Amino acid sequence: MVAFAALLFDVDGTLADTERDGHRPAFNAAFAEAGLDWHWDVDLYGQLLAVTGGKERMRYYLERWRPDWRGPADLDGFVAELHRSKTRHFVHLLGEGRIPLRPGVLRLLREATTAGVRLGISTTTTPENVTALLENCGEPGVVDWFEVIAAGDVVPKKKPAPDIYTWALERMGLPGSACIALEDSDNGVRSALGAGLGAVLVTESSYTAGQDFSGAALILDQLGEPGAPARVLGGDAAESAVPGPIDLAALDRMFRHRHRARSV
Ligand code: XBP
Ligand code: MG
């Protein structure tokens, strides 16, 4: 039996590497469809990721890169409509099965469900994106394995604020200290730590490699699969890691190590 009660997963970058070839082209398609001359290339999008949330990201772009752009009087409504269009494009892309789950994700979700470890989602992305990703992952019914999907605008402040984790934990009736968060970004780590999560595991993604993950228990390149193990890159509980893919036993060692370190 493991010492933790639940796993809370981030979505973008953690369940799947969605940003560069998913969200980014979906934003660009929405901009083109609206007749805008905005285009987010791979480098610019990396800078824009400093701000989480698609609507917030568009406003950040206008403030920093297009301060002279003359928008409509109802800018909030305009951005919201553009974002609805972006979501349609992103969901369509997921429907084409072009964005797979990251290595080890489905394996770990299966193991957790079988063992009775509770599962939740804590993300800034729009709820439709989460369901579309899970419904197109190749395994039917995965979406029902999660008892809570905390996503998008259910809280006003997105990551790095702790609110979305706090919201998920309240619905699950669990203290953060009993749970592990799985994240890929500095903003996500700050959010999870702010909500008092017992341990945070990071799998770096294409845009987040090398970020400051201070406070994370384990930093990896991926969860890994048998024959393609995870590579340990750091973290306060790095010494608890043994070679191989990340499974419940590995998470349990990490969690207990973290707990011991806190109680001395
Ligand atoms: C993910 C995000 C999201 C996506 C876009 O952050 O910032 O905003 O880029 O999603 P995290 P929406 O992984 O830390 O939750 O356009 O639906 O907002
Ligand atoms: Mg993320």
Side-chain angles (χ1 to χ4, degrees), residues 2-9 117-120 122 147 165-166 168-182 192-193 195-201 217 251 254-256 258-259 262:
V2 295
F4 53 91
L7 299 176
L8 293 187
F9 282 83
V117 171
R118 297 166 65 184
L119 295 174
S122 180
E147 73 180 73
Y165 274 99
T166 306
L169 290 164
E170 276 170 14
R171 291 280 133 1
M172 293 173 92
L174 286 170
S177 57
C179 306
I180 295 176
L182 291 95
L193 291 176
L197 271 281
V200 184
L201 178 145
L251 292 179
M254 175 192 83
F255 188 81
R256 287 174 194 272
R258 204 75 194 95
H259 199 72
R262 282 206 178 120

Coordinates of all heavy atoms in Angstrom, one line a residue, residues 2-9 117-120 122 147 165-166 168-182 192-193 195-201 217 251 254-256 258-259 262:
V2 N 0.5 2.2 -0.8 CA 1.3 3.4 -0.9 C 1.0 4.5 0.1 O -0.2 4.4 0.7 CB 1.2 4.1 -2.3 CG1 1.8 3.1 -3.4 CG2 -0.2 4.5 -2.7
A3 N 1.9 5.4 0.4 CA 1.7 6.3 1.5 C 0.9 7.6 1.1 O 0.5 8.4 1.9 CB 3.0 6.8 2.1
F4 N 0.6 7.7 -0.2 CA -0.2 8.9 -0.7 C -1.6 8.4 -1.1 O -1.8 7.2 -1.4 CB 0.6 9.6 -1.8 CG 1.0 8.7 -2.9 CD1 0.1 8.5 -4.0 CD2 2.2 8.0 -2.9 CE1 0.5 7.7 -5.1 CE2 2.5 7.1 -4.0 CZ 1.7 7.0 -5.0
A5 N -2.5 9.4 -1.2 CA -3.9 9.1 -1.5 C -4.2 9.3 -2.9 O -5.1 8.6 -3.5 CB -4.8 9.9 -0.6
A6 N -3.6 10.3 -3.6 CA -4.0 10.7 -4.9 C -2.9 11.2 -5.7 O -1.9 11.8 -5.2 CB -5.1 11.7 -4.8
L7 N -3.0 11.1 -7.0 CA -2.1 11.8 -8.0 C -2.9 12.9 -8.7 O -4.0 12.6 -9.2 CB -1.6 10.8 -9.0 CG -0.8 9.6 -8.5 CD1 -0.5 8.6 -9.7 CD2 0.4 10.0 -7.8
L8 N -2.4 14.1 -8.7 CA -3.0 15.2 -9.5 C -2.1 15.5 -10.7 O -1.0 15.9 -10.5 CB -3.2 16.4 -8.6 CG -4.1 16.3 -7.4 CD1 -4.3 17.6 -6.7 CD2 -5.5 15.8 -7.9
F9 N -2.7 15.4 -11.8 CA -1.9 15.6 -13.1 C -2.2 17.0 -13.7 O -3.4 17.4 -13.8 CB -2.3 14.5 -14.1 CG -1.7 13.2 -13.9 CD1 -2.2 12.3 -13.0 CD2 -0.5 12.8 -14.6 CE1 -1.7 11.0 -12.8 CE2 0.0 11.6 -14.4 CZ -0.5 10.7 -13.5
V117 N -5.6 4.1 -6.3 CA -5.1 5.4 -6.0 C -6.0 6.4 -6.8 O -6.3 6.3 -7.9 CB -3.6 5.6 -6.5 CG1 -3.1 7.0 -6.4 CG2 -2.7 4.7 -5.7
R118 N -6.4 7.5 -6.1 CA -7.4 8.4 -6.6 C -6.6 9.3 -7.6 O -5.5 9.7 -7.4 CB -8.1 9.2 -5.5 CG -8.9 8.2 -4.7 CD -9.3 8.9 -3.4 NE -10.2 10.0 -3.6 CZ -10.7 10.8 -2.6 NH1 -10.3 10.6 -1.4 NH2 -11.5 11.7 -2.9
L119 N -7.4 9.7 -8.7 CA -6.8 10.6 -9.7 C -7.5 11.9 -9.9 O -8.8 11.9 -9.9 CB -6.8 9.8 -11.0 CG -5.9 8.5 -11.1 CD1 -6.2 7.8 -12.5 CD2 -4.4 8.9 -10.9
G120 N -6.8 12.9 -10.1 CA -7.4 14.2 -10.4 C -6.6 15.0 -11.5 O -5.4 14.6 -11.7
S122 N -5.5 18.9 -12.6 CA -5.4 20.3 -12.2 C -4.6 21.1 -13.3 O -3.4 21.0 -13.4 CB -4.6 20.3 -10.9 OG -4.5 21.6 -10.4
E147 N -11.5 11.5 -10.9 CA -12.7 11.8 -10.2 C -13.0 13.4 -10.2 O -14.1 13.8 -10.0 CB -12.7 11.3 -8.7 CG -11.7 12.0 -7.8 CD -11.8 11.3 -6.4 OE1 -11.2 10.2 -6.3 OE2 -12.3 12.0 -5.5
Y165 N -5.2 24.0 -7.8 CA -4.9 22.8 -7.0 C -5.8 22.8 -5.7 O -6.4 21.8 -5.4 CB -3.4 22.8 -6.5 CG -2.6 22.1 -7.6 CD1 -1.8 22.8 -8.5 CD2 -2.5 20.7 -7.7 CE1 -1.1 22.2 -9.5 CE2 -1.7 20.1 -8.7 CZ -1.0 20.8 -9.5 OH -0.3 20.2 -10.5
T166 N -6.0 23.9 -5.1 CA -6.8 24.0 -3.9 C -8.3 23.6 -4.3 O -8.9 22.9 -3.6 CB -6.8 25.5 -3.4 OG1 -5.4 25.8 -3.2 CG2 -7.5 25.6 -2.1
A168 N -9.3 21.6 -6.7 CA -9.3 20.2 -7.0 C -9.3 19.4 -5.6 O -10.1 18.5 -5.4 CB -8.2 19.7 -7.8
L169 N -8.4 19.9 -4.7 CA -8.3 19.2 -3.4 C -9.6 19.3 -2.6 O -10.0 18.3 -1.9 CB -7.1 19.7 -2.6 CG -5.7 19.4 -3.2 CD1 -4.7 20.3 -2.6 CD2 -5.4 18.0 -2.9
E170 N -10.2 20.5 -2.7 CA -11.5 20.6 -1.9 C -12.5 19.7 -2.4 O -13.3 19.1 -1.7 CB -12.0 22.1 -2.1 CG -11.3 23.0 -1.1 CD -11.6 24.5 -1.4 OE1 -12.5 24.8 -2.2 OE2 -10.9 25.3 -0.8
R171 N -12.6 19.5 -3.8 CA -13.6 18.6 -4.3 C -13.3 17.2 -4.0 O -14.2 16.4 -3.8 CB -13.6 18.7 -5.9 CG -14.2 20.0 -6.4 CD -15.2 20.6 -6.6 NE -15.7 21.9 -6.4 CZ -15.3 23.0 -5.9 NH1 -14.1 23.1 -5.3 NH2 -16.0 24.1 -5.8
M172 N -12.1 16.8 -3.8 CA -11.7 15.5 -3.5 C -11.7 15.2 -2.0 O -11.6 14.1 -1.6 CB -10.3 15.1 -4.1 CG -10.2 15.1 -5.6 SD -8.6 15.0 -6.3 CE -8.4 13.2 -6.5
G173 N -11.8 16.3 -1.2 CA -11.9 16.1 0.2 C -10.5 15.6 0.8 O -10.5 14.9 1.7
L174 N -9.5 16.1 0.2 CA -8.1 15.6 0.6 C -7.2 16.8 1.0 O -7.3 17.9 0.3 CB -7.4 14.9 -0.6 CG -8.0 13.5 -0.9 CD1 -7.4 13.0 -2.2 CD2 -7.6 12.5 0.2
P175 N -6.3 16.6 1.9 CA -5.3 17.6 2.2 C -4.2 17.5 1.1 O -3.9 16.4 0.7 CB -4.8 17.3 3.6 CG -5.0 15.8 3.7 CD -6.2 15.4 2.8
G176 N -3.7 18.6 0.7 CA -2.6 18.6 -0.3 C -1.5 17.7 0.2 O -0.8 17.0 -0.7
S177 N -1.2 17.7 1.4 CA 0.0 16.9 2.0 C -0.1 15.4 1.7 O 0.8 14.7 1.7 CB 0.1 17.1 3.5 OG -1.1 16.8 4.1
A178 N -1.4 14.9 1.4 CA -1.5 13.5 1.1 C -1.4 13.2 -0.4 O -1.6 12.0 -0.8 CB -2.9 13.0 1.6
C179 N -1.1 14.2 -1.2 CA -1.1 14.0 -2.7 C 0.2 14.3 -3.4 O 1.0 15.1 -2.8 CB -2.2 14.9 -3.3 SG -3.8 14.6 -2.5
I180 N 0.3 13.7 -4.5 CA 1.5 14.0 -5.4 C 1.0 14.8 -6.6 O 0.0 14.4 -7.2 CB 2.2 12.7 -5.8 CG1 2.8 12.0 -4.6 CG2 3.3 13.0 -6.9 CD1 3.4 10.7 -5.0
A181 N 1.7 15.9 -7.0 CA 1.4 16.6 -8.2 C 2.4 16.2 -9.3 O 3.6 16.0 -9.0 CB 1.4 18.1 -8.0
L182 N 1.9 16.0 -10.5 CA 2.8 15.7 -11.7 C 2.7 16.9 -12.6 O 1.6 17.3 -13.1 CB 2.4 14.4 -12.4 CG 2.7 13.2 -11.5 CD1 1.5 12.8 -10.7 CD2 3.2 12.1 -12.3
A192 N 1.5 24.1 -7.4 CA 1.3 22.9 -6.5 C 1.9 23.1 -5.1 O 1.3 22.7 -4.1 CB 1.9 21.7 -7.2
L193 N 3.1 23.7 -5.1 CA 3.7 23.9 -3.8 C 2.9 24.9 -3.0 O 2.8 24.7 -1.8 CB 5.2 24.4 -3.9 CG 6.2 23.3 -4.5 CD1 7.6 24.0 -4.7 CD2 6.3 22.1 -3.6
A195 N -0.2 25.2 -3.0 CA -1.4 24.6 -2.4 C -1.0 23.5 -1.4 O -1.9 22.8 -0.9 CB -2.2 24.0 -3.6
G196 N 0.3 23.4 -1.1 CA 0.7 22.4 0.0 C 0.8 21.0 -0.5 O 0.7 20.1 0.4
L197 N 1.0 20.7 -1.7 CA 1.1 19.3 -2.2 C 2.3 18.6 -1.5 O 3.3 19.2 -1.3 CB 1.3 19.3 -3.7 CG 0.0 19.2 -4.6 CD1 -0.6 17.8 -4.6 CD2 -1.1 20.2 -4.1
G198 N 2.1 17.3 -1.2 CA 3.1 16.6 -0.4 C 4.4 16.4 -1.2 O 5.4 16.3 -0.6
A199 N 4.3 16.3 -2.5 CA 5.5 16.1 -3.3 C 5.1 16.5 -4.8 O 3.9 16.3 -5.2 CB 6.0 14.7 -3.3
V200 N 6.1 17.1 -5.5 CA 5.8 17.4 -6.9 C 6.9 16.7 -7.7 O 8.1 16.8 -7.5 CB 5.9 19.0 -7.1 CG1 5.6 19.3 -8.6 CG2 5.0 19.7 -6.2
L201 N 6.4 16.0 -8.7 CA 7.3 15.3 -9.7 C 7.2 16.1 -11.0 O 6.1 16.4 -11.5 CB 6.9 13.9 -9.9 CG 7.7 13.1 -10.9 CD1 7.8 11.6 -10.5 CD2 7.0 13.1 -12.3
A217 N 10.3 17.4 -5.9 CA 10.9 16.2 -5.3 C 11.8 15.5 -6.3 O 12.8 15.0 -6.0 CB 9.8 15.3 -4.7
L251 N 7.0 6.3 -7.0 CA 6.4 7.4 -6.5 C 6.3 7.3 -4.9 O 6.4 8.3 -4.2 CB 4.9 7.6 -7.0 CG 4.9 8.0 -8.5 CD1 3.4 8.1 -9.0 CD2 5.6 9.3 -8.8
M254 N 9.6 8.2 -3.4 CA 9.8 9.6 -3.5 C 9.0 10.3 -2.4 O 9.5 11.2 -1.7 CB 9.4 10.1 -4.9 CG 9.4 11.6 -5.1 SD 8.6 12.1 -6.6 CE 6.9 12.1 -6.0
F255 N 7.8 9.9 -2.3 CA 6.8 10.6 -1.3 C 7.3 10.4 0.1 O 7.4 11.3 0.9 CB 5.4 10.0 -1.5 CG 4.4 10.7 -0.7 CD1 3.8 11.9 -1.2 CD2 3.9 10.2 0.5 CE1 2.8 12.5 -0.5 CE2 3.0 10.8 1.2 CZ 2.4 12.0 0.7
R256 N 7.8 9.1 0.4 CA 8.2 8.8 1.8 C 9.5 9.6 2.1 O 9.7 10.1 3.2 CB 8.4 7.3 2.0 CG 7.1 6.6 2.1 CD 7.4 5.1 2.1 NE 6.2 4.3 1.9 CZ 5.3 3.9 2.8 NH1 5.5 4.2 4.1 NH2 4.2 3.3 2.5
R258 N 10.4 12.4 0.9 CA 10.0 13.8 1.1 C 9.5 14.1 2.5 O 9.8 15.0 3.1 CB 8.9 14.1 0.0 CG 8.7 15.5 -0.4 CD 9.8 16.0 -1.4 NE 9.6 17.4 -1.5 CZ 10.2 18.3 -0.7 NH1 11.2 17.9 0.1 NH2 9.9 19.6 -0.8
H259 N 8.6 13.1 2.9 CA 8.0 13.2 4.2 C 9.0 13.1 5.3 O 9.0 13.9 6.2 CB 7.0 12.0 4.3 CG 6.0 12.2 5.4 ND1 4.9 13.1 5.2 CD2 5.9 11.7 6.6 CE1 4.2 13.1 6.3 NE2 4.8 12.3 7.2
R262 N 10.9 16.3 5.7 CA 10.2 17.4 6.3 C 10.1 17.2 7.8 O 9.9 18.2 8.5 CB 8.8 17.4 5.7 CG 8.8 18.0 4.3 CD 7.4 18.6 4.0 NE 7.5 19.3 2.7 CZ 6.7 19.0 1.7 NH1 5.8 18.0 1.8 NH2 6.8 19.6 0.6

